[in-house]
């Protein structure tokens, strides 16, 4: 495997060089970068998905939406529609993508959820809304350079730090590691609840922070399991569920894996590709693996994003016969980083808001 990485390294260097030139062209205005008179916060990463963008966007929504009319703008990855959509009650993971669908299901009364492949078009349309928007959160937009963000947040997984990785296809990086220098805030995500001072010092030195950059550390907190199906609503838990089938279609499932492992005697994971749109064929595989579990006291656990996609399946009747629960997750910061992060975000928005 290591040999293959080395063989692919020249291709990764070439890809990284192309991305570097592209970013440079935006810097010197060969490619146009649009600046808007509204606070725009970008949440993204250098590596491919799985760093925790969605719960961090939700953290920002919870932090800001009570005081500022907030809109999220996403590409709507793997949706079956195109163009600009201002999400409404009839939209779901099929029409707007699983992450925007999750924002819509949880915060529809507080925020505006928007999808558009062309972020400039998305922002221009948001600014035309009858209800004035005070703030835009750009989801997965560190590589979307046509819109100039006022604040760039870049995430890196504690167990898969970007500085130990390589550019595609020899690794999972979308750009050269040096691009991290353009981030205002770097958040190391999915950490243990306590990161030691020595680990913080080591990570800080390896990142080689600039003076204007802030380094933060966050971890996941899982909430109570929520029934997705009718069978799940009727399921009666014992002190410890005997068997769990964990069904995931996300890039990195290991934090949930570790969380669920402690809740059962035996567990099996059925892993699909990231952002998998589930079909009847996938449901058949889930049913087959569930039947193989040798216990009457058994359930299926999945993520909140997977629940968005499962809820769009055509065969809802068969789906609801399975006891499927999803596990909500939220982000917390190791102190004192939570206070520092909140202050920096609120200061930026308050100084740049059109309300001021």
């Amino acid at each position: 495997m290591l040999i293959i990485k080395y063989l692919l390294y020249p291709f990764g260097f070439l890809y990284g060089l192309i991305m570097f030139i592209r970013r440079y062209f935006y810097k010197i205005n060969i490619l146009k970068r649009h600046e808007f008179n509204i606070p725009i916060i970008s949440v993204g990463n250098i590596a491919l998905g799985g760093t925790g963008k969605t719960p961090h966007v939700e953290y920002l929504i919870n932090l800001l939406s009570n005081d500022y009319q907030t809109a999220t703008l996403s590409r709507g990855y793997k949706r079956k529609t195109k163009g600009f959509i201002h999400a409404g009650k009839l939209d779901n993971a099929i029409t707007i993508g699983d992450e925007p669908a999750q924002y819509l299901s949880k915060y529809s009364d507080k925020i505006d959820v928007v999808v558009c492949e062309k972020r400039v078009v998305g922002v221009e349309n948001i600014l035309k809304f009858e209800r004035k928007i005070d703030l835009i959160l750009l989801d997965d937009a560190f590589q979307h350079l046509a819109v100039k963000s006022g604040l760039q947040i870049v995430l890196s997984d504690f167990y898969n730090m970007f500085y130990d990785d390589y550019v595609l296809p020899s690794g999972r990086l979308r750009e050269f590691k040096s691009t991290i220098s353009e981030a205002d805030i770097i958040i190391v995500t999915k950490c243990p609840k306590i990161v030691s001072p020595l680990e913080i010092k080591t990570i800080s030195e390896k990142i080689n922070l600039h003076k204007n950059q802030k380094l933060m550390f966050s971890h996941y907190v899982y909430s109570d399991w929520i029934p997705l199906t009718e069978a799940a609503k009727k399921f009666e838990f014992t002190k410890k569920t005997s068997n769990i089938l964990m069904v995931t279609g996300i890039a990195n499932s290991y934090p949930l894996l570790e969380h669920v492992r402690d809740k059962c005697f035996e567990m099996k994971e059925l892993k699909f590709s990231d952002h998998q749109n589930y079909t009847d064929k996938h449901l058949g595989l889930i049913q087959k693996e569930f039947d193989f579990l040798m216990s009457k006291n058994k359930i299926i656990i999945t993520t909140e994003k997977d629940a968005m996609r499962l809820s769009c399946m055509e065969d809802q009747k068969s789906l609801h016969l399975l006891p499927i629960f999803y596990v909500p997750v939220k982000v917390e910061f190791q102190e004192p980083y939570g206070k520092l992060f909140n202050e920096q975000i609120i200061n930026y928005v308050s100084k740049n808001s059109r309300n001021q």
Side-chain angles (χ1 to χ4, degrees):
M1 192 67 178
L2 193 60
I3 295 173
I4 294 174
K5 279 192 174 185
Y6 283 124
L7 290 173
L8 292 173
Y9 184 81
F11 299 99
F13 178 79
L14 180 61
Y15 178 76
L17 184 61
I18 292 169
M19 295 299 288
F20 174 81
I21 293 170
R22 173 180 175 268
R23 190 173 280 271
Y24 179 70
F25 280 179
Y26 273 106
K27 278 186 179 179
I28 62 174
N29 293 320
I30 290 178
L31 295 175
K32 188 176 181 181
R33 203 166 196 181
H34 299 257
E35 192 167 359
F36 295 94
N37 185 29
I38 187 173
I40 298 177
I41 300 175
S42 164
V43 181
N45 51 20
I46 294 180
L48 293 175
T51 55
K53 291 185 297 295
T54 304
H56 282 82
V57 170
E58 291 187 358
Y59 183 96
L60 290 169
I61 291 170
N62 288 319
L63 177 66
L64 297 165
S65 62
N66 286 334
D67 297 314
Y68 300 94
Q69 189 57 52
T70 303
T72 61
L73 175 55
S74 311
R75 175 175 53 161
Y77 185 61
K78 283 202 173 182
R79 61 183 170 126
K80 294 186 178 180
T81 59
K82 291 183 179 181
F84 176 88
I85 295 178
H86 185 187
K89 292 180 180 180
L90 298 179
D91 285 299
N92 55 34
I94 298 296
T95 60
I96 59 174
D98 55 3
E99 291 157 347
Q102 184 170 317
Y103 305 146
L104 186 67
S105 70
K106 298 171 78 170
Y107 305 106
S108 61
D109 59 331
K110 299 177 70 175
I111 69 169
D112 290 80
V113 177
V114 174
V115 295
C116 191
E117 302 91 337
K118 296 181 179 180
R119 305 300 175 97
V120 173
V121 174
V123 175
E124 288 174 343
N125 278 285
I126 287 171
L127 294 179
K128 295 175 184 175
F129 286 175
E130 186 176 339
R131 176 167 64 176
K132 188 180 78 170
I133 300 298
D134 303 314
L135 161 72
I136 298 174
L137 301 177
L138 288 185
D139 186 11
D140 192 13
F142 189 56
Q143 285 74 37
H144 292 268
L145 305 175
V147 173
K148 186 175 181 181
S149 300
L151 197 65
Q152 297 258 23
I153 300 172
V154 176
L155 313 180
S156 186
D157 187 326
F158 179 83
Y159 296 100
N160 293 287
M161 290 297 293
F162 73 92
Y163 50 65
D164 292 326
D165 208 342
Y166 300 92
V167 178
L168 290 163
S170 57
R172 299 180 66 253
L173 299 186
R174 298 169 170 179
E175 302 183 77
F176 288 142
K177 302 169 190 179
S178 58
T179 310
I180 199 73
S181 64
E182 299 198 13
D184 298 296
I185 300 173
I186 301 165
I187 304 178
V188 182
T189 65
K190 303 183 182 180
C191 297
K193 286 195 175 181
I194 301 295
V195 182
S196 71
L198 179 60
E199 287 175 309
I200 291 171
K201 183 174 183 292
T202 300
I203 290 171
S204 180
E205 288 173 351
K206 287 186 176 181
I207 292 176
N208 191 23
L209 290 169
H210 292 210
K211 287 183 179 179
N212 64 324
Q213 291 183 304
K214 298 292 189 297
L215 179 64
M216 311 281 179
F217 295 83
S218 70
H219 57 266
Y220 279 174
V221 176
Y222 290 99
S223 303
D224 292 339
W225 303 352
I226 297 177
L228 176 67
T229 60
E230 292 301 319
K233 293 175 183 177
K234 297 173 183 176
F235 186 85
E236 294 184 7
F237 280 95
T238 59
K239 285 187 178 180
K240 197 163 188 179
T241 305
S242 297
N243 295 73
I244 289 177
L245 174 65
M246 195 171 95
V247 176
T248 60
I250 57 174
N252 289 325
S253 59
Y254 68 84
L256 180 60
L257 195 68
E258 291 303 308
H259 170 72
V260 172
R261 199 187 302 276
D262 294 334
K263 311 293 182 182
C264 64
F265 293 118
E266 186 178 346
M267 190 189 70
K268 182 175 182 180
E269 183 181 12
L270 180 58
K271 192 170 178 59
F272 295 99
S273 61
D274 194 18
H275 297 276
Q276 177 68 65
N277 284 318
Y278 293 106
T279 64
D280 292 349
K281 181 180 177 181
H282 297 117
L283 184 59
L285 290 172
I286 294 169
Q287 180 72 66
K288 184 178 179 181
E289 292 295 332
F290 183 69
D291 291 341
F292 278 154
L293 296 179
M294 300 302 292
S295 171
K296 290 183 178 181
N297 187 27
K298 57 186 179 180
I299 60 171
I300 297 171
I301 290 292
T302 193
T303 69
E304 203 165 2
K305 280 198 284 189
D306 284 295
M308 294 296 109
R309 285 177 266 122
L310 286 166
S311 298
C312 296
M313 289 186 59
E314 289 185 10
D315 190 358
Q316 288 292 306
K317 184 176 180 180
S318 297
L319 180 74
H320 279 273
L321 295 175
L322 293 169
I324 304 176
F325 295 79
Y326 67 89
V327 188
V329 60
K330 66 177 182 178
V331 162
E332 287 186 359
F333 285 87
Q334 177 175 323
E335 290 304 334
Y337 299 106
K339 182 180 179 182
L340 295 173
F341 179 78
N342 292 357
E343 286 177 352
Q344 185 170 355
I345 296 296
I346 291 169
N347 285 341
Y348 162 71
V349 176
S350 63
K351 286 178 183 178
N352 294 278
S353 173
R354 295 186 294 175
N355 278 342
Q356 300 302 311

